[in-house]
Amino acid sequence: MTALSLALLVPWAAGIVLALLDGRRPLVGWLAVGVLATNLGALVALAVPVLPDSSVVVTTGDWPAGIGITLRADALGVLFALLSSLALLAAMLHEVLDGVRERVFPGLVTLLAAGLTGVFLTGDLFNFYVFFELAMTAGYVLATYGGGRRELGAALVFTTVNLLGTFIFLLSVAGVYHVTGTLEMSGIAARMDDVDPNAAVLLAVGFFVAFAVKLGLFPFHFWLPTVYSGARPAVAAILSGGLANIGAYGLLRFGGELLPDELDLAAGALIVVGGASIVYGGILAVSRRSASEMLAYSAIGQVGYVLVAIGVGGPVGFAAAILYTVVNALNKTLLFLTAQMRGAVVGAAFALGALSVAGVPPAGGFVGKLELFRAVADDPALIVLFFLGSALSFVYAFQTYQYDFWRGERRGRRSTIPQQAVVAALALLVLALGVWPEPLLALSHDAAELLAGGGG
């Protein structure tokens, strides 16, 4: 209970204070790093009692349920909160070492951490929306970081498209309350069986569109290449490795727990959309020359695997989607942070991240691809699709590495040793997940069993 409250309150309170200070001062940046490390530590402490097939539910301020903020920590929420907190901490540390360029950056990243922690650890739909808005608002402002014409243009696209997705999400939340009379997630799941099927399908479509926009799935992807390639590396890492997790989590939580019948009904459509994302993102990534553009289009393809696994459903499909989301977020955080870095260590880190994206052992992505193939083992067409996607991933990752590091075409100043240490640590984590995948496999299957049980 203490860890759950700390994980939310520390970044919330500290973020407000840091937003008032000049983030360009090194001390303020390091304070933000300390706050994010505390948030990660609190989540680790929370994970100890929660992850062994348990959960913690708290209503803040001793208010009655339905009035106070209901926090719920289970395997799925804690895993996503840990993942996002780690991505934000790595990006913040990277930017502090490089020199923060705008005064609001540390405060915004800290507030984003509060919003993401709340999204993943809340137990009712209204508070999910509140934390969702906090995280997205911080993301909108972060997208302008750097103040250049390219960053401002990307931020405008990002804000406009995602505000539309947020509006659709809000309409769906209002619809859920209208047909169920509650916003508590457990109550919604229990009452959805009595809802008119047509109304339930409309609500499911609304939630899917809202979360698909956040993920950048084809055909909702048009904002993503501009934003990811136009943002500074730390911001791109935050958006892809942290903020985008809302989309994957939302599809898993809402589809598996709140709307399981509608998920089963739409399984075929989800697989088709996911497959289109894999092929489209892979082909466009092959045609890109710069690392940031390649990674932007790669992001579209990689989330397609997650959607296909969700469409397959069941404990095996959900476990594959969860595990691959974790690995993919770490890959993107690592690779985006290296996008404008040089040096031998950077080259090795990029190579390991690229191998992970392509699913080549011993990187963590290999384990993720194995789980995906296991989920679709009975469908030859999906096996062929995954092989095609993996082949495209290997081609674009290899050609970018060849161009940037073998031929030495990457420009910019050589990275400092502390900056290289950050990406090296992330690369070692990606490697560790491939060499010793059992803990992550167990966590993914525990979270998937929770969803499949909720769906039953």
Side-chain angles (χ1 to χ4, degrees):
M1 177 174 173
T2 303
L4 180 55
S5 300
L6 281 176
L8 186 59
L9 291 176
V10 169
W12 173 262
I16 295 174
V17 174
L18 290 173
L20 300 175
L21 302 177
D22 188 350
R24 292 168 296 187
R25 297 179 177 178
L27 177 60
V28 177
W30 285 109
L31 285 174
V33 169
V35 170
L36 294 173
T38 302
N39 172 253
L40 181 61
L43 289 171
V44 170
L46 177 63
V48 173
V50 166
L51 292 181
D53 196 24
S54 183
S55 63
V56 175
V57 180
V58 176
T59 301
T60 59
D62 294 325
W63 288 94
I67 298 178
I69 297 176
T70 301
L71 302 177
R72 179 185 64 177
D74 58 20
L76 181 66
V78 170
L79 184 57
F80 272 78
L82 282 168
L83 172 65
S84 300
S85 180
L86 178 61
L88 265 59
L89 175 60
M92 186 72 234
L93 183 57
H94 178 275
E95 193 64 14
V96 169
L97 292 170
D98 193 41
V100 176
R101 289 158 176 79
E102 292 185 7
R103 60 178 298 133
V104 297
F105 182 81
L108 285 172
V109 176
T110 307
L111 288 173
L112 177 58
L116 290 175
T117 302
V119 163
F120 300 134
L121 300 183
T122 189
D124 76 65
L125 204 50
F126 177 76
N127 293 319
F128 184 102
Y129 172 73
V130 172
F131 290 120
F132 178 87
E133 277 296 287
L134 173 62
M136 291 308 303
T137 301
Y140 299 148
V141 183
L142 280 171
T144 68
Y145 180 61
R149 185 173 182 178
R150 188 178 184 185
E151 289 86 358
L152 293 175
L156 178 61
V157 173
F158 178 59
T159 303
T160 303
V161 175
N162 280 274
L163 280 176
L164 177 61
T166 299
F167 179 69
I168 294 172
F169 179 78
L170 181 58
L171 289 179
S172 301
V173 171
V176 166
Y177 184 73
H178 178 72
V179 298
T180 65
T182 182
L183 290 173
E184 188 178 357
M185 290 185 180
S186 58
I188 294 170
R191 298 182 189 184
M192 283 305 298
D193 289 339
D194 300 325
V195 173
D196 178 75
N198 293 327
V201 168
L202 285 175
L203 293 173
V205 170
F207 284 127
F208 171 75
V209 171
F211 292 128
V213 168
K214 307 304 177 191
L215 270 175
L217 283 163
F218 178 88
F220 309 97
H221 68 283
F222 51 90
W223 63 270
L224 190 148
T226 301
V227 175
Y228 281 14
S229 61
R232 287 189 55 78
V235 173
I238 288 169
L239 297 180
S240 62
L243 193 62
N245 294 332
I246 294 178
Y249 175 81
L251 290 173
L252 285 161
R253 177 71 78 184
F254 284 62
E257 181 178 340
L258 305 186
L259 300 161
D261 295 336
E262 289 68 34
L263 178 62
D264 291 339
L265 184 66
L270 296 183
I271 291 172
V272 169
V273 173
S277 292
I278 292 171
V279 175
Y280 176 86
I283 292 175
L284 268 293
V286 169
S287 67
R288 303 298 114 173
R289 179 63 71 183
S290 72
S292 59
E293 289 182 336
M294 178 275 287
L295 291 171
Y297 283 100
S298 170
I300 298 171
Q302 295 302 309
V303 295
Y305 292 104
V306 176
L307 190 64
V308 171
I310 293 174
V312 171
V316 176
F318 288 151
I322 293 166
L323 190 148
Y324 200 76
T325 298
V326 173
V327 174
N328 183 49
L330 291 174
N331 291 342
K332 290 298 180 287
T333 302
L334 168 61
L335 293 174
F336 272 116
L337 288 181
T338 65
Q340 295 180 9
M341 298 176 66
R342 295 174 58 213
V345 173
V346 174
F350 184 93
L352 188 55
L355 291 174
S356 186
V357 169
V360 177
F366 173 69
V367 178
K369 289 289 175 68
L370 280 181
E371 283 294 289
L372 289 170
F373 278 107
R374 178 171 172 245
V376 302
D378 297 328
D379 193 324
L382 291 181
I383 292 175
V384 172
L385 172 68
F386 284 0
F387 269 117
L388 174 61
S390 297
L392 289 171
S393 301
F394 183 82
V395 171
Y396 63 66
F398 178 77
Q399 72 178 15
T400 301
Y401 179 80
Q402 181 186 41
Y403 183 81
D404 281 5
F405 295 100
W406 281 7
R407 292 174 54 182
E409 297 292 336
R410 178 168 289 195
R411 298 288 180 257
R413 57 191 174 88
R414 185 170 295 274
S415 308
T416 64
I417 292 178
Q419 285 179 301
Q420 294 188 40
V422 172
V423 297
L426 281 174
L428 289 174
L429 177 58
V430 171
L431 178 62
L433 292 179
V435 175
W436 187 42
E438 287 80 7
L440 181 58
L441 284 168
L443 295 179
S444 300
H445 283 279
D446 287 345
E449 289 288 349
L450 180 149
L451 287 177

